[in-house]
Coordinates of all heavy atoms in Angstrom, one line a residue:
R163 N -117.9 374.2 -159.1 CA -116.7 374.7 -158.4 C -115.5 374.0 -158.4 O -114.6 374.3 -157.7 CB -117.1 375.0 -156.9 CG -118.2 376.0 -156.7 CD -118.5 376.2 -155.3 NE -119.1 377.5 -155.0 CZ -118.6 378.5 -154.2 NH1 -117.5 378.3 -153.7 NH2 -119.2 379.6 -154.1
I164 N -115.5 373.1 -159.3 CA -114.2 372.3 -159.5 C -113.6 372.6 -160.8 O -114.2 372.6 -161.8 CB -114.6 370.7 -159.4 CG1 -115.1 370.3 -158.0 CG2 -113.3 369.8 -159.6 CD1 -115.6 368.9 -157.9
L165 N -112.2 372.7 -160.8 CA -111.5 373.0 -162.0 C -110.3 371.8 -161.9 O -109.7 371.8 -161.0 CB -110.8 374.4 -162.1 CG -111.8 375.5 -162.1 CD1 -111.2 376.8 -161.6 CD2 -112.4 375.6 -163.4
F166 N -110.5 371.0 -163.0 CA -109.4 369.9 -163.0 C -108.4 370.2 -164.0 O -108.6 370.3 -165.1 CB -110.2 368.7 -163.4 CG -109.4 367.4 -163.5 CD1 -108.2 367.3 -162.8 CD2 -109.6 366.3 -164.5 CE1 -107.5 366.2 -162.9 CE2 -109.0 365.2 -164.6 CZ -107.8 365.1 -163.9
L167 N -107.2 370.4 -163.3 CA -106.0 370.8 -164.1 C -105.2 369.6 -164.5 O -104.7 368.8 -163.5 CB -105.2 371.7 -163.4 CG -105.4 373.2 -163.4 CD1 -106.9 373.5 -163.1 CD2 -104.6 374.0 -162.4
N168 N -104.8 369.3 -165.7 CA -103.8 368.3 -166.0 C -103.0 368.6 -167.2 O -103.4 369.5 -168.1 CB -104.5 366.9 -166.2 CG -105.6 366.9 -167.3 OD1 -105.2 367.0 -168.5 ND2 -106.7 366.9 -166.9
L169 N -101.8 368.1 -167.3 CA -100.9 368.3 -168.5 C -101.4 367.6 -169.6 O -101.2 368.1 -170.8 CB -99.4 367.9 -168.1 CG -98.7 369.0 -167.2 CD1 -99.0 368.7 -165.8 CD2 -97.2 369.1 -167.5
L170 N -101.7 366.3 -169.5 CA -102.0 365.5 -170.7 C -103.2 364.6 -170.4 O -103.4 364.1 -169.4 CB -100.7 364.5 -170.9 CG -100.5 364.3 -172.3 CD1 -100.3 365.4 -173.2 CD2 -99.0 363.5 -172.2
T171 N -104.1 364.5 -171.4 CA -105.2 363.6 -171.3 C -105.5 362.9 -172.5 O -104.7 363.0 -173.5 CB -106.5 364.6 -170.9 OG1 -107.5 363.6 -170.7 CG2 -106.9 365.5 -172.0
S172 N -106.6 362.1 -172.5 CA -106.9 361.2 -173.7 C -108.4 361.6 -174.0 O -109.1 361.8 -173.2 CB -106.7 359.8 -173.5 OG -107.7 359.4 -172.4
P173 N -108.8 361.2 -175.4 CA -110.2 361.3 -175.6 C -111.0 360.6 -174.7 O -112.2 360.9 -174.3 CB -110.2 361.0 -177.0 CG -108.9 361.2 -177.6 CD -107.9 361.0 -176.5
E174 N -110.6 359.2 -174.4 CA -111.3 358.4 -173.6 C -111.5 358.9 -172.2 O -112.5 358.8 -171.6 CB -110.7 357.0 -173.7 CG -111.3 355.9 -172.9 CD -110.5 354.6 -172.9 OE1 -109.8 354.4 -173.9 OE2 -110.5 353.8 -172.0
G175 N -110.4 359.4 -171.7 CA -110.4 360.0 -170.4 C -111.3 361.1 -170.1 O -112.1 361.1 -169.2
I176 N -111.3 362.0 -171.1 CA -112.3 363.1 -171.1 C -113.7 362.6 -171.2 O -114.6 363.1 -170.5 CB -112.1 364.1 -172.3 CG1 -110.7 364.8 -172.1 CG2 -113.2 365.1 -172.5 CD1 -110.2 365.6 -173.3
R177 N -113.9 361.6 -172.2 CA -115.4 361.2 -172.3 C -115.8 360.4 -171.0 O -116.9 360.8 -170.5 CB -115.3 360.0 -173.4 CG -116.0 360.5 -174.7 CD -116.3 359.3 -175.5 NE -115.2 358.3 -175.7 CZ -114.2 358.3 -176.4 NH1 -113.9 359.2 -177.2 NH2 -113.3 357.2 -176.4
N178 N -114.9 359.7 -170.4 CA -115.4 359.0 -169.1 C -115.6 360.1 -167.9 O -116.6 359.8 -167.3 CB -114.3 358.0 -168.7 CG -114.2 356.8 -169.7 OD1 -115.1 356.5 -170.5 ND2 -113.0 356.0 -169.7
Y179 N -114.7 361.0 -167.9 CA -114.9 361.9 -166.7 C -116.1 362.8 -167.1 O -116.9 363.0 -166.1 CB -113.6 362.8 -166.8 CG -113.5 363.6 -165.4 CD1 -113.2 363.0 -164.2 CD2 -113.8 364.9 -165.6 CE1 -113.2 363.8 -163.1 CE2 -113.8 365.8 -164.4 CZ -113.5 365.1 -163.2 OH -113.3 365.9 -162.1
H180 N -116.4 363.2 -168.2 CA -117.5 364.1 -168.5 C -118.8 363.3 -168.5 O -119.9 363.9 -168.3 CB -117.3 364.9 -169.7 CG -116.6 366.2 -169.4 ND1 -116.0 366.9 -170.5 CD2 -116.5 366.9 -168.3 CE1 -115.4 368.0 -169.8 NE2 -115.6 368.0 -168.5
A181 N -118.7 362.1 -168.7 CA -120.0 361.2 -168.6 C -120.5 361.3 -167.2 O -121.7 361.3 -167.1 CB -119.7 359.7 -169.0
K182 N -119.6 361.4 -166.2 CA -120.0 361.5 -164.9 C -120.1 362.8 -164.3 O -121.0 363.2 -163.5 CB -119.0 360.5 -164.1 CG -119.4 360.4 -162.6 CD -119.2 359.1 -162.1 CE -119.9 358.9 -160.7 NZ -119.1 358.2 -159.8
F183 N -119.3 363.7 -164.7 CA -119.2 365.1 -164.2 C -119.2 366.1 -165.4 O -118.1 366.7 -165.7 CB -117.9 365.2 -163.4 CG -117.8 364.2 -162.2 CD1 -116.7 363.4 -162.3 CD2 -118.7 364.2 -161.2 CE1 -116.6 362.4 -161.3 CE2 -118.5 363.2 -160.3 CZ -117.4 362.3 -160.3
P184 N -120.3 366.2 -166.1 CA -120.3 367.1 -167.2 C -120.1 368.6 -167.0 O -119.7 369.3 -167.9 CB -121.8 366.9 -167.8 CG -122.5 366.3 -166.7 CD -121.7 365.6 -165.8
N185 N -120.3 368.9 -165.8 CA -120.1 370.4 -165.5 C -118.8 370.8 -164.8 O -118.6 371.9 -164.5 CB -121.2 370.9 -164.5 CG -122.6 370.6 -165.1 OD1 -122.8 370.8 -166.4 ND2 -123.5 370.1 -164.3
I186 N -117.9 369.8 -164.9 CA -116.6 370.3 -164.4 C -115.7 370.5 -165.5 O -115.6 369.9 -166.5 CB -116.0 369.0 -163.6 CG1 -116.8 368.8 -162.3 CG2 -114.5 369.3 -163.1 CD1 -116.3 367.7 -161.5
K187 N -115.1 371.8 -165.4 CA -114.1 372.1 -166.5 C -112.7 371.4 -166.4 O -112.1 371.4 -165.3 CB -113.8 373.7 -166.3 CG -115.0 374.5 -166.8 CD -114.5 375.9 -167.0 CE -115.7 376.8 -167.5 NZ -116.5 377.5 -166.4
I188 N -112.3 370.8 -167.5 CA -111.0 370.2 -167.6 C -110.1 371.1 -168.2 O -110.4 371.6 -169.4 CB -111.0 368.8 -168.3 CG1 -112.0 367.8 -167.6 CG2 -109.7 368.3 -168.6 CD1 -112.2 366.5 -168.5
I189 N -109.0 371.6 -167.6 CA -108.0 372.5 -168.2 C -106.7 371.6 -168.5 O -106.2 371.1 -167.5 CB -107.7 373.7 -167.1 CG1 -109.1 374.4 -166.9 CG2 -106.7 374.6 -167.8 CD1 -109.0 375.5 -165.9
T190 N -106.5 371.6 -169.7 CA -105.4 370.7 -170.1 C -104.4 371.3 -171.1 O -104.9 372.4 -171.8 CB -105.9 369.4 -170.7 OG1 -104.8 368.5 -170.8 CG2 -106.7 369.5 -171.9
G191 N -103.3 370.9 -171.2 CA -102.3 371.5 -172.2 C -102.1 370.5 -173.4 O -101.7 370.9 -174.3
G192 N -102.7 369.3 -173.4 CA -102.5 368.4 -174.5 C -103.5 367.3 -174.4 O -103.9 366.8 -173.3
I193 N -104.0 366.9 -175.7 CA -104.8 365.7 -175.6 C -104.2 364.7 -176.6 O -104.0 365.1 -177.7 CB -106.3 366.1 -176.2 CG1 -106.9 367.3 -175.3 CG2 -107.2 365.0 -176.3 CD1 -108.2 367.8 -175.8
D194 N -103.9 363.6 -176.0 CA -103.2 362.6 -176.8 C -104.0 361.8 -177.7 O -105.3 361.9 -177.5 CB -102.3 361.7 -175.9 CG -101.0 362.2 -175.8 OD1 -100.6 363.1 -176.5 OD2 -100.1 361.4 -175.1
D195 N -103.5 361.0 -178.6 CA -104.3 360.3 -179.6 C -105.1 359.2 -179.0 O -106.4 359.0 -179.3 CB -103.4 359.6 -180.7 CG -102.5 360.6 -181.4 OD1 -103.1 361.9 -181.4 OD2 -101.5 360.2 -181.9
K196 N -104.6 358.4 -178.1 CA -105.3 357.2 -177.6 C -104.6 356.6 -176.4 O -103.6 357.2 -175.9 CB -105.3 356.1 -178.7 CG -103.8 355.8 -179.2 CD -103.9 354.7 -180.3 CE -102.5 354.5 -180.6 NZ -102.3 353.4 -181.6
L197 N -105.1 355.5 -175.8 CA -104.5 354.7 -174.9 C -103.9 353.4 -175.5 O -104.6 352.9 -176.4 CB -105.4 354.5 -173.7 CG -106.1 355.6 -173.0 CD1 -107.0 355.1 -171.9 CD2 -105.0 356.5 -172.4
D198 N -102.8 352.9 -174.9 CA -102.4 351.6 -175.5 C -103.1 350.5 -174.6 O -104.1 350.7 -173.9 CB -101.0 351.5 -175.4 CG -100.3 351.5 -174.1 OD1 -101.0 351.3 -173.1 OD2 -99.0 351.6 -174.0
D199 N -102.7 349.2 -174.9 CA -103.3 348.1 -174.3 C -103.0 348.1 -172.7 O -103.8 347.4 -172.1 CB -103.0 346.8 -174.8 CG -101.6 346.5 -175.0 OD1 -100.7 347.4 -174.5 OD2 -101.1 345.6 -175.5
K200 N -102.0 348.8 -172.3 CA -101.9 349.0 -170.8 C -102.4 350.3 -170.3 O -102.1 350.6 -169.1 CB -100.3 349.0 -170.5 CG -99.7 347.7 -170.8 CD -98.2 347.6 -170.3 CE -97.6 346.2 -170.5 NZ -96.2 346.2 -170.6
K201 N -103.3 350.8 -171.0 CA -104.0 352.1 -170.7 C -103.1 353.3 -170.4 O -103.3 354.0 -169.5 CB -105.0 351.9 -169.5 CG -105.9 350.7 -169.6 CD -107.0 351.1 -170.5 CE -108.1 350.0 -170.8 NZ -108.8 350.3 -172.0
R202 N -101.9 353.3 -171.1 CA -101.1 354.3 -171.0 C -101.3 355.3 -172.2 O -101.8 354.8 -173.3 CB -99.6 353.9 -171.1 CG -99.2 353.1 -170.0 CD -97.7 352.5 -170.2 NE -97.7 351.9 -171.5 CZ -96.6 351.0 -171.9 NH1 -95.7 350.8 -171.0 NH2 -96.6 350.5 -173.1
L203 N -101.1 356.6 -171.9 CA -101.3 357.6 -172.9 C -100.2 357.5 -174.1 O -99.1 357.2 -173.8 CB -101.1 359.1 -172.4 CG -102.3 359.4 -171.5 CD1 -101.9 360.5 -170.5 CD2 -103.5 359.9 -172.2
V204 N -100.8 357.7 -175.3 CA -99.9 357.5 -176.5 C -100.1 358.6 -177.4 O -101.2 359.0 -177.8 CB -100.2 356.2 -177.3 CG1 -99.3 356.0 -178.5 CG2 -100.1 354.9 -176.4
P205 N -99.0 359.5 -177.8 CA -97.6 359.2 -177.6 C -97.1 359.3 -176.1 O -96.1 358.7 -175.7 CB -96.9 360.1 -178.5 CG -97.9 361.3 -178.8 CD -99.2 360.7 -178.7
G206 N -97.8 360.1 -175.4 CA -97.5 360.2 -173.9 C -96.2 360.9 -173.6 O -95.6 361.6 -174.4
L207 N -95.8 360.6 -172.2 CA -94.4 361.1 -171.8 C -93.9 360.1 -170.8 O -93.0 360.5 -170.0 CB -94.7 362.5 -171.3 CG -95.8 362.9 -170.2 CD1 -95.4 362.3 -168.9 CD2 -95.8 364.4 -170.1
G208 N -94.6 359.0 -170.7 CA -94.1 358.0 -169.7 C -94.8 358.3 -168.4 O -96.0 358.7 -168.4
D209 N -94.2 357.8 -167.3 CA -94.9 357.8 -166.0 C -94.4 359.3 -165.5 O -93.2 359.4 -165.0 CB -94.4 356.6 -165.1 CG -95.2 356.7 -163.7 OD1 -95.2 357.8 -163.1 OD2 -95.6 355.6 -163.3
F210 N -95.5 360.1 -165.3 CA -95.1 361.5 -164.9 C -94.5 361.4 -163.5 O -93.5 362.1 -163.3 CB -96.3 362.4 -164.9 CG -96.1 363.8 -164.7 CD1 -95.8 364.7 -165.8 CD2 -95.8 364.3 -163.4 CE1 -95.6 366.0 -165.5 CE2 -95.6 365.6 -163.2 CZ -95.4 366.5 -164.2
G211 N -95.0 360.7 -162.6 CA -94.5 360.7 -161.2 C -93.1 360.1 -161.2 O -92.3 360.7 -160.4

Side-chain angles (χ1 to χ4, degrees):
R163 284 179 164 246
I164 298 172
L165 297 160
F166 176 29
L167 274 50
N168 60 70
L169 281 86
L170 213 50
T171 185
S172 67
E174 182 179 329
I176 292 173
R177 251 192 328 269
N178 291 343
Y179 191 74
H180 272 161
K182 188 138 189 221
F183 307 113
N185 299 324
I186 296 180
K187 288 194 174 90
I188 298 174
I189 300 177
T190 188
I193 301 174
D194 265 358
D195 300 336
K196 59 179 181 180
L197 302 179
D198 68 8
D199 55 1
K200 290 187 173 156
K201 303 294 183 193
R202 297 175 303 194
L203 290 159
V204 180
L207 50 71
D209 185 315
F210 189 97

